[in-house]
Amino acid sequence: MAMRIDVKGSDDVVKELHKITRGAAMAARDTMLSMGARKSAGAKTAADQEARKIYNIKQADIYGKYKGHTETGSETVAGVKIPSFRLEFEQRGTFTPVHFGMKMSGRGRNKTVKWQPLKAGGLVPLKSSKGFPVFLAAPKGVMLPWARLQQKSWVKARGKGSGYRGTGWKHLPVEVIHTHLSTPQMIDNEKVDPNKRSEIERRMEKTLDEKMKKYLK
């Protein structure tokens, strides 16, 4: 998933850019660098801020999937190069419910695994792809939610290839539950994207105003 931070617009906008002074061009350059290329890039911060308004995630979940920026082009105005950027977020697979406040509630057979993927709405039951009850286990030291892939948990195992001598019981496969949520999906979500774009524009205007005061004073 990538976000474009671009100085290019219509032909009229480009023509207007070439009318500005060197000081204004330097302000525009610094604004683009602040929004897309520097460590605390304004566009990256805006994406993080808006995603965390909707989803129950931490800043580390966003920043940890930030791949970096790539310069995609530039406009030279009054001898000053004003770059455009693409910011990329990359994630292999999706998060487990652990990232979204997973908890166990109830007792005995009434135990339920719940999670909170959204900032609003509180905890909701975690469901498996096959509809079987979810349980918690930590086979490798990390507590994760699991579910059966078929009705029975155990079957009798006999003969060669069963892993048993004579007659025994064999545990059927289970699967760890992942969500359908990843950082790129959250940032690009229809509830996040419009606000993200508005926030980027707001930050860009504010930064440009500050830079203009610096270079044109």
Side-chain angles (χ1 to χ4, degrees), residues 60-79:
D61 294 326
I62 299 291
Y63 283 20
K65 307 304 179 184
Y66 178 59
K67 185 179 179 180
H69 68 275
T70 302
E71 186 173 326
T72 58
S74 65
E75 283 290 325
T76 300
V77 181

Side-chain angles (χ1 to χ4, degrees), residues 3-217:
M3 295 190 300
R4 296 188 66 85
I5 311 300
D6 204 333
V7 297
K8 294 184 179 180
S10 66
D11 291 339
D12 290 338
V13 173
V14 174
K15 288 178 182 178
E16 289 300 316
L17 279 174
H18 287 281
K19 296 179 182 179
I20 68 176
T21 64
R22 180 175 177 81
M26 292 174 69
R29 178 203 61 193
D30 278 14
T31 297
M32 295 307 297
L33 291 173
S34 294
M35 291 302 298
R38 290 176 179 152
K39 186 175 181 179
S40 57
K44 179 179 69 173
T45 303
D48 163 62
Q49 174 182 298
E50 296 305 320
R52 288 194 290 126
K53 285 180 180 179
I54 301 296
Y55 294 99
N56 183 30
I57 54 173
K58 300 176 181 179
Q59 187 180 69
D61 294 326
I62 299 291
Y63 283 20
K65 307 304 179 184
Y66 178 59
K67 185 179 179 180
H69 68 275
T70 302
E71 186 173 326
T72 58
S74 65
E75 283 290 325
T76 300
V77 181
V80 177
K81 178 184 174 183
I82 305 176
S84 299
F85 296 100
R86 182 176 68 248
L87 277 61
E88 296 185 61
F89 293 83
E90 185 176 73
Q91 180 171 339
R92 295 181 180 180
T94 56
F95 290 118
T96 67
V98 172
H99 284 81
F100 301 93
M102 184 185 71
K103 293 181 179 180
M104 173 76 83
S105 63
R107 296 181 179 180
R109 293 187 177 183
N110 294 321
K111 284 184 178 179
T112 303
V113 179
K114 295 184 176 182
W115 68 319
Q116 186 178 344
L118 302 179
K119 186 74 76 174
L123 291 163
V124 295
L126 181 61
K127 298 179 180 180
S128 65
S129 61
K130 302 292 185 179
F132 297 120
V134 178
F135 62 93
L136 299 180
K140 295 184 179 180
V142 179
M143 189 65 70
L144 293 171
W146 299 78
R148 302 193 308 272
L149 293 176
Q150 55 192 67
Q151 186 64 42
K152 294 182 178 180
S153 297
W154 296 84
V155 294
K156 285 188 175 182
R158 299 172 181 273
K160 294 181 179 180
S162 66
Y164 296 87
R165 293 181 179 179
T167 302
W169 289 90
K170 181 179 180 181
H171 196 291
L172 294 176
V174 294
E175 65 175 354
V176 65
I177 297 177
H178 286 266
T179 71
H180 294 293
L181 297 172
S182 67
T183 290
Q185 288 171 325
M186 287 185 281
I187 291 175
D188 207 33
N189 179 271
E190 61 182 10
K191 292 183 179 180
V192 175
D193 188 57
N195 295 329
K196 174 191 70 184
R197 293 179 183 276
S198 295
E199 180 61 17
I200 288 174
E201 290 175 3
R202 186 192 70 78
R203 287 172 177 268
M204 187 175 290
E205 289 176 2
K206 180 181 178 182
T207 303
L208 180 59
D209 183 59
E210 293 171 351
K211 300 297 182 182
M212 291 288 276
K213 290 177 181 178
K214 171 184 175 181
Y215 285 103
L216 299 181
K217 62 182 179 180

